[in-house]
Amino acid sequence: MSSNSGIQIPSRLPLLCTHDGVLLPGSTMRISVDTARNMQLVKSRLLKGTSLQSTIIGFIPNTRDPEHDSDELPSLHSIGTAGLVVQVVGSNWPKPHYTLLITGLCRFRVTQLLREKPFPVAKVEQLDKLEQYTEGDQADGELEELSQRFYQAAVQLVGMLDMSVPVVAKLRRLLDSLPKETLPDVLASMIRTSNKEKLQVLDAVDLEERFKKALPLLTRQIEGLKLLQKTRKLRPDDDKRVLAIRKGGVFPGRQFSLDEDGEDEDGDDTAMLEKKVKAAAMPEAALRVCLKELKRLKKMPQSMPEYALTRNYLEMMVELPWSKSSTDCLDIRAARVLLDNDHYAMEKLKRRVLEYLAVRQLKSTLKGPILCFVGPPGVGKTSVGRSIARTLGREFHRIALGGVCDQSDIRGHRRTYVGSMPGRIINGLKTVGVNNPVMTKTNMGCISPPINCVLYQVLDPEQNHSFTDHYLNVPFDLSQVLFIATANTMATIPPALLDRMEVLQVPGYTQEEKVEIAHRHLIPHQLEQHGLTPQQLQIPQDTTKDIISKYTREAGVRSLERKIGAICRAVAVKFAEGHKVFRAESPTEQHADQNTENKEEDSGIAAPPEMPIVIDPIALKDILGPPVFEMEVSERLTLPGVAIGLAWTPMGGEIMFVEASRMEGEGQLTLTGQLGDVMKESAHLAISWLRSNAKTYLLTNGSADPLEGTDIHLHFPAGAVTKDGPSAGVTIVTCLASLLSGRLVRSDVAMTGEITLRGLVLPVGGIKDKVLAAHRANLKRVIIPKRNEKDLEEIPPRVRADLDFVFASTLDEVLNAAFDGGFPAAVSHPQVVSKL
Ligand code: ADP
């Protein structure tokens, strides 16, 4: 740049230290400034100052790793480039920063640091005195020869570029008009060089040395281009791949560089993006939108926040699997084997899933119902979904809807918001990269009405071929996605959605099933996860039973899996330490934990553990602590006024102790515990029935009304889950009958059933889960309404055999079955038969 020749820079310069690259004299560069020091410099020198001189700053390449940059001023690189700041653009997004456009003028050396804060200012000595070379010193033959060679190489390089590009033609003209001494700097900043190489050129104060440093770089670039052109000739269809020429550079306001792939800088990005848009095979509507956005993007300055927004949008659009799908490879026989291998029990569910898959195989365009697995947590709903994906050879993605409270979570934010992004469905598709994955939507029941509305559109086969995400703002076809919904309870799924789905109940597991699941699946899986082998750790069946009954109380197997995980961790630690702590021998020895430790300390060597480590009850207690759930049933039924009911909650069945006590008062009924309105009504019904039948059952306590002068307090302890439902009716009656008669209810009986004022017992729901809960609690007799008898079919035969079922149609039958020796009425009770 011949205009440089007369430049005299100020002797004191503010210094800008940056990692953004190396500015060479004669080139222009855009750098982003966001450190406190540099921001201060921009504010006080560039934004406030008005003179031309104040826009000249010293640019020092920061050689320190940006990760370790601190407030402290790093030791400064001694040579820098004085630059003229041509443009300053400020932005607050994504964080406060300035973008500066700087043109390099000449080198300088820092002679003395004058101050460090708020930004460094130094006394400098100008190094490039360009006129010196152009005027005299022609005699230096070597330098002359070097500069000639360099010039020719530069001409060769430009000759290899496409002259029809205006910027290339201009560069060709510039080569002739620029003084040769400036060429190393100008070309080194344009060709593909690393920052380290540029730094070497900057440090080469001596002109001859500078030519020597820059020439190999130039030759390398020429060789690279030659290679590229050769390969391009082999692939003529790739002709459109223009040499990456970034606009700008020596021309102020723009940056210029020659680059083979242009991946790392933005100038050529739009061309790449355009190519990607065209290759994305998107539908007509989406393509139109993308091309329009692309056009806008090309016209936008990069420092505009909208530039980033539009770019992100386009990148998202090209990454979506518009027409990319995996091929289904369904073999029903293999699918059956796979489902059986992955999951123990759940026969009904597996059968229905196979039917569903078989139909899909016969008719691939099936717009069938969406499967919805309903059951307590941890019973394998999601994992069946994953297996379905595997049998079909499809990708799997899980979307958890629990806690989603905003519809834009599903449908995305409109692009006008800063930080807007697509919803979970589109994001999921982007992640899996195909448009036909298996997607499970868990926790369908726990969501708000507007979200249900969106889900309705997503799941409905009639509508989902044109699902519009707010962010994309063009329809995306979801009809290839195989949706599987899961929920803990059907009750909270809106009817319109339920109508579109085929509900498959997944009930909780019995203890035996859990033991099998643990040994077939959970233990091997956890061993593998923790890097252990069955030769190192063994968990006998009895221990598994103990874990199930003493450390977990759940319908599914999730806690069980966690507990097994805890055991594996403990054992893994022991192996890692090389200690020997768990031994399956005598319990007394095991208890003497301290002794063991002392012994080890004495010997001073950590012995490797004995193989395999068998988890016996003592080791189990060591690892998991004292049992969390003791079977307290018999202890709690030692006083009159306690009965065991069976409740259904979304978490599965539960046993529930109903307690009653009486005290002097005015016939008040107090209810406490987690209860809903229906429960309160049941309590009132129960009391009314007992009062009207007090004489029959000799509960009068002398007076005509058993509640005269008495307050009754009913309590439903245990569990934070609200128990709403009429099914506690029979339990409340039994509990009150026990209280008023002073007799104990049998401690091994649990019951469920709705009552009427006339003493009839009506059927209730959730029988299977309730019976399983009673079985889990080791109870022996279960009283259920007569009309629920048919529901017993669903219960595994082994559980049925363990329990004694009493089918009651009247309260009289309930009371007789609940008390040892029956609950005889004084006068024969008129038999009421349910006509309902
Ligand atoms: P859900 O979706 O019903 O809450 P998950 O599918 O997340 O439950 O299952 C929890 C864990 O239990 C998973 O690791 C799963 O593999 C395991 N699991 C549940 N049921 C079975 C089963 N019948 N056989 C094997 N593993 C099971």
Side-chain angles (χ1 to χ4, degrees):
M1 213 175 272
S2 54
S3 58
N4 270 7
S5 49
I7 278 184
Q8 196 61 46
I9 60 165
S11 59
R12 294 156 64 106
L13 278 183
L15 302 182
L16 187 96
C17 304
T18 162
H19 301 282
D20 260 10
V22 181
L23 177 74
L24 290 172
S27 70
T28 301
M29 194 174 153
R30 197 182 289 277
I31 63 161
S32 174
V33 161
D34 58 3
T35 63
R37 246 192 326 264
N38 291 345
M39 298 272 282
Q40 264 305 327
L41 188 153
V42 174
K43 277 184 207 154
S44 52
R45 282 291 293 229
L46 302 176
L47 300 184
K48 286 200 191 126
T50 46
S51 69
L52 179 67
Q53 228 189 25
S54 72
T55 60
I56 297 182
I57 60 173
F59 185 96
I60 299 267
N62 197 351
T63 43
R64 198 193 272 192
D65 181 1
E67 297 284 311
H68 300 105
D69 218 355
S70 61
D71 284 347
E72 235 176 84
L73 188 69
S75 58
L76 292 176
H77 191 73
S78 60
I79 296 184
T81 311
L84 187 72
V85 179
V86 189
Q87 188 189 50
V88 182
V89 181
S91 165
N92 267 331
W93 190 87
K95 57 178 181 179
H97 72 279
Y98 292 107
T99 308
L100 309 183
L101 195 65
I102 306 189
T103 300
L105 300 174
C106 61
R107 283 177 182 71
F108 66 81
R109 188 191 303 280
V110 179
T111 50
Q112 189 190 354
L113 191 62
L114 297 174
R115 67 160 210 243
E116 290 191 13
K117 282 184 180 163
F119 52 87
V121 176
K123 212 165 173 185
V124 300
E125 173 201 346
Q126 182 168 344
L127 293 177
D128 293 334
K129 296 186 177 64
L130 299 169
E131 60 271 39
Q132 158 191 341
Y133 305 114
T134 37
E135 285 161 10
D137 269 4
Q138 293 291 354
D140 192 338
E142 200 184 344
L143 182 63
E144 176 60 24
E145 190 206 322
L146 261 176
S147 72
Q148 197 54 35
R149 262 173 51 203
F150 196 89
Y151 168 76
Q152 273 160 7
V155 170
Q156 186 188 359
L157 176 72
V158 177
M160 292 170 83
L161 302 178
D162 185 356
M163 277 297 181
S164 62
V165 181
V167 87
V168 178
K170 196 163 182 186
L171 175 63
R172 179 70 192 81
R173 284 197 300 277
L174 267 176
L175 276 186
D176 290 332
S177 58
L178 283 176
K180 298 215 171 42
E181 302 79 20
T182 59
L183 289 183
D185 285 339
V186 171
L187 276 143
S189 62
M190 285 195 297
I191 58 178
R192 197 175 167 80
T193 43
S194 68
N195 281 346
K196 210 167 148 197
E197 288 162 340
K198 282 197 192 113
L199 198 65
Q200 283 173 358
V201 176
L202 177 74
D203 286 350
V205 179
D206 178 42
L207 191 57
E208 197 174 314
E209 195 191 336
R210 202 180 306 158
F211 272 119
K212 280 185 186 154
K213 283 266 174 331
L215 191 58
L217 305 177
L218 192 60
T219 327
R220 188 181 64 193
Q221 177 83 43
I222 292 171
E223 292 307 315
L225 276 181
K226 274 188 194 156
L227 207 67
L228 191 75
Q229 282 175 343
K230 221 184 276 172
T231 46
R232 184 124 22 86
K233 268 186 206 127
L234 297 178
R235 289 181 296 156
D237 54 346
D238 221 354
D239 223 21
K240 285 194 202 96
R241 219 178 115 105
V242 193
L243 275 185
I245 297 172
R246 265 178 275 123
K247 300 166 220 148
V250 255
F251 320 111
R254 297 188 151 189
Q255 201 174 354
F256 189 95
S257 173
L258 307 172
D259 224 329
E260 287 97 306
D261 51 25
E263 283 270 350
D264 56 347
E265 297 283 349
D266 14 65
D268 190 44
D269 274 6
T270 37
M272 290 291 275
L273 211 53
E274 184 166 357
K275 224 186 289 173
K276 282 191 199 160
V277 165
K278 285 180 181 153
M282 46 180 90
E284 186 69 34
L287 185 65
R288 259 202 315 270
V289 173
C290 279
L291 290 178
K292 206 171 117 201
E293 292 293 322
L294 208 60
K295 221 161 139 190
R296 263 167 28 88
L297 189 75
K298 282 181 188 163
K299 289 185 194 151
M300 244 182 250
Q302 289 169 17
S303 46
M304 238 170 114
E306 208 186 332
Y307 181 88
L309 283 185
T310 314
R311 253 198 80 107
N312 287 350
Y313 173 75
L314 284 168
E315 261 162 21
M316 169 56 88
M317 290 292 270
V318 297
E319 276 177 44
L320 284 182
W322 295 96
S323 44
K324 213 156 89 199
S325 43
S326 56
T327 354
D328 282 0
C329 53
L330 180 62
D331 170 357
I332 286 293
R333 229 170 299 154
R336 186 184 311 244
V337 174
L338 205 137
L339 274 178
D340 278 341
N341 281 350
D342 281 359
H343 296 95
Y344 179 77
M346 13 170 65
E347 296 307 331
K348 213 164 125 190
L349 179 86
K350 285 193 283 196
R351 195 167 353 115
R352 180 62 191 98
V353 165
L354 283 174
E355 282 169 17
Y356 182 83
L357 294 179
V359 176
R360 280 191 75 92
Q361 191 184 24
L362 294 179
K363 193 163 187 311
S364 54
T365 53
L366 173 80
K367 285 194 174 170
I370 286 144
L371 292 181
C372 178
F373 303 152
V374 176
V379 290
K381 301 181 295 292
T382 317
S383 94
V384 168
R386 192 169 280 125
S387 293
I388 293 178
R390 276 217 289 153
T391 56
L392 286 171
R394 290 193 181 197
E395 294 293 330
F396 177 79
H397 188 75
R398 174 171 180 257
I399 296 180
L401 294 175
V404 172
C405 51
D406 187 357
Q407 54 155 314
S408 38
D409 252 8
I410 308 289
R411 209 190 245 288
H413 296 268
R414 290 202 184 281
R415 211 152 31 101
T416 38
Y417 296 114
V418 171
S420 53
M421 51 186 181
R424 295 198 191 189
I425 306 229
I426 293 296
N427 253 334
L429 287 170
K430 186 185 140 200
T431 313
V432 295
V434 285
N435 65 4
N436 64 342
V438 173
M439 268 198 187
T440 59
K441 294 175 169 288
T442 55
N443 283 346
M444 287 287 288
C446 323
I447 38 188
S448 59
I451 293 177
N452 279 326
C453 179
V454 183
L455 284 184
Y456 184 71
Q457 287 169 18
V458 172
L459 296 176
D460 184 4
E462 302 298 329
Q463 299 184 35
N464 70 7
H465 55 84
S466 59
F467 168 73
T468 307
D469 184 280
H470 283 155
Y471 181 80
L472 297 192
N473 211 14
V474 283
F476 193 97
D477 183 2
L478 294 181
S479 58
Q480 301 299 313
V481 180
L482 178 65
F483 285 109
I484 295 175
T486 78
N488 289 343
T489 166
M490 250 156 61
T492 46
I493 304 179
L497 260 182
L498 211 50
D499 196 40
R500 290 276 179 280
M501 302 197 280
E502 174 170 342
V503 171
L504 297 180
Q505 296 277 359
V506 196
Y509 297 115
T510 62
Q511 169 144 348
E512 286 73 23
E513 283 171 341
K514 285 186 186 177
V515 172
E516 284 298 326
I517 293 175
H519 284 269
R520 286 170 193 234
H521 300 282
L522 308 182
I523 297 179
H525 182 233
Q526 287 298 324
L527 285 180
E528 195 194 318
Q529 292 255 307
H530 292 84
L532 295 168
T533 61
Q535 285 74 40
Q536 290 173 317
L537 168 66
Q538 275 178 18
I539 304 181
Q541 295 236 347
D542 287 341
T543 308
T544 318
K545 279 187 196 151
D546 275 356
I547 306 175
I548 295 169
S549 59
K550 295 187 181 157
Y551 295 90
T552 68
R553 183 162 287 177
E554 54 172 357
V557 291
R558 200 168 282 156
S559 304
L560 176 60
E561 189 170 18
R562 266 201 300 271
K563 299 286 174 204
I564 294 172
I567 294 174
C568 290
R569 272 196 303 281
V571 172
V573 169
K574 289 298 151 202
F575 267 101
E577 285 176 352
H579 272 247
K580 162 167 140 188
V581 164
F582 310 112
R583 273 170 305 173
E585 303 115 346
S586 85
T588 42
E589 226 179 288
Q590 290 292 329
H591 271 306
D593 243 6
Q594 277 182 327
N595 291 349
T596 325
E597 273 172 24
N598 289 344
K599 260 183 251 160
E600 274 171 10
E601 265 171 27
D602 289 346
S603 63
I605 331 156
E610 259 171 29
M611 300 251 269
I613 290 180
V614 181
I615 304 295
D616 61 354
I618 292 124
L620 186 66
K621 212 167 160 190
D622 270 352
I623 299 172
L624 298 182
V628 183
F629 302 104
E630 290 284 11
M631 274 304 152
E632 26 157 25
V633 175
S634 50
E635 285 163 31
R636 294 186 65 161
L637 293 185
T638 50
L639 284 174
V642 187
I644 305 171
L646 293 171
W648 183 88
T649 75
M651 308 292 152
E654 257 184 23
I655 65 163
M656 162 179 80
F657 291 90
V658 179
E659 295 176 349
S661 68
R662 62 195 292 183
M663 56 223 89
E664 266 183 38
E666 289 147 19
Q668 293 278 334
L669 171 67
T670 312
L671 294 167
T672 51
Q674 285 275 347
L675 10 104
D677 288 341
V678 184
M679 195 77 115
K680 288 178 194 155
E681 282 167 21
S682 297
H684 283 288
L685 265 178
I687 291 207
S688 300
W689 183 82
L690 278 171
R691 279 170 114 168
S692 61
N693 290 281
K695 266 201 205 124
T696 324
Y697 292 105
L698 304 174
L699 304 172
T700 48
N701 207 9
S703 61
D705 184 349
L707 295 192
E708 203 178 288
T710 320
D711 276 354
I712 298 256
H713 185 159
L714 264 177
H715 182 57
F716 300 82
V721 183
T722 312
K723 298 166 200 80
D724 204 354
S727 64
V730 292
T731 325
I732 302 173
V733 169
T734 312
C735 166
L736 289 174
S738 153
L739 179 76
L740 298 178
S741 66
R743 294 180 57 192
L744 286 180
V745 180
R746 276 177 59 157
S747 61
D748 57 355
V749 179
M751 60 201 80
T752 181
E754 181 180 351
I755 54 169
T756 70
L757 204 49
R758 304 289 309 278
L760 300 179
V761 176
L762 303 183
V764 292
I767 289 291
K768 178 168 182 190
D769 282 323
K770 289 176 175 175
V771 170
L772 290 184
H775 187 248
R776 270 203 298 277
N778 259 338
L779 300 176
K780 293 284 165 292
R781 176 178 282 187
V782 178
I783 306 173
I784 61 171
K786 181 139 186 56
R787 282 178 45 206
N788 279 119
E789 197 174 346
K790 60 177 189 327
D791 296 330
L792 290 195
E793 274 174 28
E794 292 175 21
I795 293 165
R798 225 177 316 157
V799 175
R800 245 185 297 168
D802 281 351
L803 293 170
D804 165 24
F805 289 96
V806 176
F807 306 107
S809 50
T810 64
L811 277 175
D812 190 51
E813 288 164 21
V814 172
L815 292 179
N816 269 320
F819 290 89
D820 261 332
F823 202 76
V827 257
S828 95
H829 195 72
Q831 195 68 38
V832 197
V833 180
S834 166
K835 294 199 179 75
L836 293 171

